[in-house]
Amino acid sequence: YEGSNVILKQTGYFYKMEGKPFALQSVRSLAEDSHGDIIVGTRYNGLFYLRMKNDRVDSILHFDESAGLVSKTIWGLGVNKKDEVWIGTAMGLCLGKWQNGAFKIEDISKVNQIYSCGNVHVDRQNSVWVTNHPGVSRLSSDESEKTAPFSVFISRILLDGKLPKENQASFNY
């Protein structure tokens, strides 16, 4: 780490971490928290938290599905004013928070009905913007209570405006 430039070659720790490979070409997103620590999102290897000390990488934490991520493919990262890390993955949205010295990740996809994410951006008002299909979603990162998604009850299905005949259609869920 030199000023505002992160030199990932310096982080030789990646190759030594519990036999987990870290391909530099798989980096897809970067963010920085208020302490100057660097968060790295990768395409296949989950999330890495580079803890900085004296402008050098002091330690590296690794997070994957076993730590709460919904996918090891991270497309976007955003850090809000509370140092909460919004993590956009191929399978949904997660929120990472430091609690009692440990980084905890929770899946907030269902609550916000976001099941695939691209980029994540936190604006000056602390709102979180997430690119997803079919467009862009805005979330307030200051909301303390979120509502659960609504339920859908399907009463009938029509094919070409008509009820399907027996064995004409099948639906897997």
Side-chain angles (χ1 to χ4, degrees), residues 70-71 73 87-94 107-109 114-117:
V70 293
S71 169
T73 297
I87 308 161
T89 78
M91 301 300 288
L93 185 63
C94 295
D107 176 10
I108 58 171
S109 303
I114 296 175
Y115 299 103
S116 179
C117 298

Side-chain angles (χ1 to χ4, degrees), residues 34-89:
S34 66
H35 306 288
D37 295 333
I38 305 298
I39 305 110
V40 180
T42 68
R43 183 164 183 194
Y44 302 113
N45 297 308
L47 187 78
F48 291 86
Y49 218 108
L50 284 62
R51 305 299 301 264
M52 306 302 290
K53 187 175 183 180
N54 299 323
D55 293 333
R56 307 265 321 147
V57 175
D58 183 56
S59 63
I60 298 173
L61 305 172
H62 177 247
F63 304 93
D64 56 17
E65 288 106 334
S66 66
L69 286 174
V70 293
S71 169
K72 290 190 293 187
T73 297
I74 312 297
W75 294 117
L77 293 168
V79 180
N80 68 12
K81 294 175 184 173
K82 297 183 206 174
D83 270 340
E84 297 170 328
V85 180
W86 293 78
I87 308 161
T89 78

Side-chain angles (χ1 to χ4, degrees), residues 3-150:
S4 61
N5 297 321
V6 176
I7 300 172
L8 292 176
K9 287 181 188 175
Q10 173 194 331
T11 60
Y13 304 100
F14 285 126
Y15 296 101
K16 300 173 188 172
M17 290 181 53
E18 302 169 16
K20 295 179 182 173
F22 181 77
L24 293 178
Q25 68 270 19
S26 72
V27 172
R28 294 297 184 256
S29 55
L30 292 170
E32 181 179 9
D33 67 14
S34 66
H35 306 288
D37 295 333
I38 305 298
I39 305 110
V40 180
T42 68
R43 183 164 183 194
Y44 302 113
N45 297 308
L47 187 78
F48 291 86
Y49 218 108
L50 284 62
R51 305 299 301 264
M52 306 302 290
K53 187 175 183 180
N54 299 323
D55 293 333
R56 307 265 321 147
V57 175
D58 183 56
S59 63
I60 298 173
L61 305 172
H62 177 247
F63 304 93
D64 56 17
E65 288 106 334
S66 66
L69 286 174
V70 293
S71 169
K72 290 190 293 187
T73 297
I74 312 297
W75 294 117
L77 293 168
V79 180
N80 68 12
K81 294 175 184 173
K82 297 183 206 174
D83 270 340
E84 297 170 328
V85 180
W86 293 78
I87 308 161
T89 78
M91 301 300 288
L93 185 63
C94 295
L95 180 61
K97 300 177 186 179
W98 286 100
Q99 296 174 340
N100 301 322
F103 191 68
K104 304 288 185 183
I105 299 173
E106 64 179 306
D107 176 10
I108 58 171
S109 303
K110 291 178 185 172
V111 171
N112 292 290
Q113 297 183 10
I114 296 175
Y115 299 103
S116 179
C117 298
N119 196 15
V120 176
H121 174 74
V122 179
D123 67 19
R124 284 176 265 157
Q125 286 78 36
N126 220 29
S127 293
V128 179
W129 296 84
V130 179
T131 60
N132 59 347
H133 181 75
V136 177
S137 297
R138 179 183 173 268
L139 308 168
S140 172
S141 67
D142 292 328
E143 288 180 10
S144 59
E145 189 174 308
K146 303 208 183 289
T147 57
F150 58 88

